[in-house]
PDB file of all heavy atoms in Angstrom:
ATOM      1  N   LEU A 269      92.559  89.641  78.850  1.00  0.00           N
ATOM      2  CA  LEU A 269      92.140  91.035  79.072  1.00  0.00           C
ATOM      3  C   LEU A 269      92.079  91.775  77.742  1.00  0.00           C
ATOM      4  O   LEU A 269      92.794  91.425  76.806  1.00  0.00           O
ATOM      5  CB  LEU A 269      93.145  91.769  79.968  1.00  0.00           C
ATOM      6  CG  LEU A 269      93.284  91.339  81.421  1.00  0.00           C
ATOM      7  CD1 LEU A 269      94.306  92.234  82.109  1.00  0.00           C
ATOM      8  CD2 LEU A 269      91.963  91.383  82.158  1.00  0.00           C
ATOM      9  N   PRO A 270      91.273  92.827  77.660  1.00  0.00           N
ATOM     10  CA  PRO A 270      91.290  93.654  76.439  1.00  0.00           C
ATOM     11  C   PRO A 270      92.686  94.268  76.227  1.00  0.00           C
ATOM     12  O   PRO A 270      93.453  94.430  77.184  1.00  0.00           O
ATOM     13  CB  PRO A 270      90.271  94.761  76.745  1.00  0.00           C
ATOM     14  CG  PRO A 270      89.437  94.240  77.867  1.00  0.00           C
ATOM     15  CD  PRO A 270      90.290  93.299  78.657  1.00  0.00           C
ATOM     16  N   ASP A 271      92.967  94.623  74.985  1.00  0.00           N
ATOM     17  CA  ASP A 271      94.283  95.216  74.657  1.00  0.00           C
ATOM     18  C   ASP A 271      94.561  96.425  75.544  1.00  0.00           C
ATOM     19  O   ASP A 271      93.667  97.225  75.807  1.00  0.00           O
ATOM     20  CB  ASP A 271      94.311  95.681  73.192  1.00  0.00           C
ATOM     21  CG  ASP A 271      94.456  94.498  72.256  1.00  0.00           C
ATOM     22  OD1 ASP A 271      94.709  93.385  72.756  1.00  0.00           O
ATOM     23  OD2 ASP A 271      94.287  94.700  71.035  1.00  0.00           O
ATOM     24  N   GLY A 272      95.813  96.554  75.966  1.00  0.00           N
ATOM     25  CA  GLY A 272      96.231  97.748  76.699  1.00  0.00           C
ATOM     26  C   GLY A 272      95.955  97.689  78.195  1.00  0.00           C
ATOM     27  O   GLY A 272      96.351  98.591  78.931  1.00  0.00           O
ATOM     28  N   CYS A 273      95.274  96.642  78.675  1.00  0.00           N
ATOM     29  CA  CYS A 273      94.903  96.614  80.100  1.00  0.00           C
ATOM     30  C   CYS A 273      95.993  96.043  80.996  1.00  0.00           C
ATOM     31  O   CYS A 273      96.165  96.486  82.130  1.00  0.00           O
ATOM     32  CB  CYS A 273      93.612  95.815  80.294  1.00  0.00           C
ATOM     33  SG  CYS A 273      92.177  96.699  79.666  1.00  0.00           S
ATOM     34  N   ILE A 274      96.735  95.068  80.499  1.00  0.00           N
ATOM     35  CA  ILE A 274      97.698  94.395  81.382  1.00  0.00           C
ATOM     36  C   ILE A 274      98.769  95.372  81.893  1.00  0.00           C
ATOM     37  O   ILE A 274      99.293  95.217  82.994  1.00  0.00           O
ATOM     38  CB  ILE A 274      98.294  93.144  80.689  1.00  0.00           C
ATOM     39  CG1 ILE A 274      98.795  92.171  81.756  1.00  0.00           C
ATOM     40  CG2 ILE A 274      99.371  93.487  79.687  1.00  0.00           C
ATOM     41  CD1 ILE A 274      98.954  90.753  81.270  1.00  0.00           C
ATOM     42  N   GLU A 275      99.044  96.421  81.111  1.00  0.00           N
ATOM     43  CA  GLU A 275     100.040  97.422  81.526  1.00  0.00           C
ATOM     44  C   GLU A 275      99.581  98.191  82.770  1.00  0.00           C
ATOM     45  O   GLU A 275     100.375  98.862  83.426  1.00  0.00           O
ATOM     46  CB  GLU A 275     100.305  98.437  80.401  1.00  0.00           C
ATOM     47  CG  GLU A 275     100.981  97.878  79.169  1.00  0.00           C
ATOM     48  CD  GLU A 275     100.007  97.325  78.131  1.00  0.00           C
ATOM     49  OE1 GLU A 275      98.907  96.864  78.534  1.00  0.00           O
ATOM     50  OE2 GLU A 275     100.346  97.332  76.936  1.00  0.00           O
ATOM     51  N   GLN A 276      98.284  98.110  83.082  1.00  0.00           N
ATOM     52  CA  GLN A 276      97.742  98.846  84.229  1.00  0.00           C
ATOM     53  C   GLN A 276      97.911  98.076  85.546  1.00  0.00           C
ATOM     54  O   GLN A 276      97.498  98.525  86.610  1.00  0.00           O
ATOM     55  CB  GLN A 276      96.234  99.091  84.043  1.00  0.00           C
ATOM     56  CG  GLN A 276      95.853  99.788  82.771  1.00  0.00           C
ATOM     57  CD  GLN A 276      96.464 101.161  82.705  1.00  0.00           C
ATOM     58  OE1 GLN A 276      96.510 101.874  83.708  1.00  0.00           O
ATOM     59  NE2 GLN A 276      96.985 101.509  81.547  1.00  0.00           N
ATOM     60  N   MET A 277      98.503  96.866  85.442  1.00  0.00           N
ATOM     61  CA  MET A 277      98.493  95.940  86.575  1.00  0.00           C
ATOM     62  C   MET A 277      99.073  96.531  87.867  1.00  0.00           C
ATOM     63  O   MET A 277      98.451  96.459  88.931  1.00  0.00           O
ATOM     64  CB  MET A 277      99.273  94.700  86.159  1.00  0.00           C
ATOM     65  CG  MET A 277      99.081  93.542  87.063  1.00  0.00           C
ATOM     66  SD  MET A 277      99.866  92.070  86.397  1.00  0.00           S
ATOM     67  CE  MET A 277      98.599  91.415  85.414  1.00  0.00           C
ATOM     68  N   VAL A 278     100.256  97.107  87.794  1.00  0.00           N
ATOM     69  CA  VAL A 278     100.895  97.621  89.013  1.00  0.00           C
ATOM     70  C   VAL A 278     100.069  98.773  89.593  1.00  0.00           C
ATOM     71  O   VAL A 278      99.783  98.815  90.795  1.00  0.00           O
ATOM     72  CB  VAL A 278     102.345  98.064  88.728  1.00  0.00           C
ATOM     73  CG1 VAL A 278     102.925  98.834  89.905  1.00  0.00           C
ATOM     74  CG2 VAL A 278     103.205  96.851  88.418  1.00  0.00           C
ATOM     75  N   ARG A 279      99.645  99.668  88.719  1.00  0.00           N
ATOM     76  CA  ARG A 279      98.873 100.831  89.191  1.00  0.00           C
ATOM     77  C   ARG A 279      97.582 100.377  89.888  1.00  0.00           C
ATOM     78  O   ARG A 279      97.269 100.827  90.991  1.00  0.00           O
ATOM     79  CB  ARG A 279      98.526 101.735  87.996  1.00  0.00           C
ATOM     80  CG  ARG A 279      97.723 102.971  88.364  1.00  0.00           C
ATOM     81  CD  ARG A 279      97.358 103.786  87.130  1.00  0.00           C
ATOM     82  NE  ARG A 279      96.379 103.171  86.278  1.00  0.00           N
ATOM     83  CZ  ARG A 279      95.059 103.215  86.475  1.00  0.00           C
ATOM     84  NH1 ARG A 279      94.574 103.845  87.537  1.00  0.00           N
ATOM     85  NH2 ARG A 279      94.225 102.624  85.638  1.00  0.00           N
ATOM     86  N   VAL A 280      96.863  99.445  89.261  1.00  0.00           N
ATOM     87  CA  VAL A 280      95.580  99.002  89.818  1.00  0.00           C
ATOM     88  C   VAL A 280      95.805  98.235  91.124  1.00  0.00           C
ATOM     89  O   VAL A 280      95.109  98.444  92.127  1.00  0.00           O
ATOM     90  CB  VAL A 280      94.814  98.145  88.778  1.00  0.00           C
ATOM     91  CG1 VAL A 280      93.595  97.485  89.394  1.00  0.00           C
ATOM     92  CG2 VAL A 280      94.407  99.020  87.594  1.00  0.00           C
ATOM     93  N   SER A 281      96.815  97.383  91.131  1.00  0.00           N
ATOM     94  CA  SER A 281      97.114  96.605  92.346  1.00  0.00           C
ATOM     95  C   SER A 281      97.406  97.536  93.522  1.00  0.00           C
ATOM     96  O   SER A 281      96.855  97.370  94.618  1.00  0.00           O
ATOM     97  CB  SER A 281      98.324  95.706  92.082  1.00  0.00           C
ATOM     98  OG  SER A 281      98.892  95.286  93.286  1.00  0.00           O
ATOM     99  N   HIS A 282      98.247  98.533  93.297  1.00  0.00           N
ATOM    100  CA  HIS A 282      98.643  99.414  94.393  1.00  0.00           C
ATOM    101  C   HIS A 282      97.493 100.336  94.800  1.00  0.00           C
ATOM    102  O   HIS A 282      97.319 100.640  95.989  1.00  0.00           O
ATOM    103  CB  HIS A 282      99.888 100.207  94.016  1.00  0.00           C
ATOM    104  CG  HIS A 282     101.108  99.339  93.921  1.00  0.00           C
ATOM    105  ND1 HIS A 282     102.382  99.809  93.862  1.00  0.00           N
ATOM    106  CD2 HIS A 282     101.233  97.992  93.872  1.00  0.00           C
ATOM    107  CE1 HIS A 282     103.246  98.793  93.784  1.00  0.00           C
ATOM    108  NE2 HIS A 282     102.559  97.689  93.780  1.00  0.00           N
ATOM    109  N   ALA A 283      96.709 100.763  93.823  1.00  0.00           N
ATOM    110  CA  ALA A 283      95.583 101.647  94.168  1.00  0.00           C
ATOM    111  C   ALA A 283      94.557 100.892  95.025  1.00  0.00           C
ATOM    112  O   ALA A 283      94.018 101.435  95.999  1.00  0.00           O
ATOM    113  CB  ALA A 283      94.930 102.173  92.893  1.00  0.00           C
TER     114      ALA A 283
END
Side-chain angles (χ1 to χ4, degrees):
L269 293 182
D271 284 351
C273 288
I274 204 160
E275 293 88 331
Q276 305 298 320
M277 194 173 272
V278 169
R279 180 183 70 82
V280 171
S281 161
H282 291 193

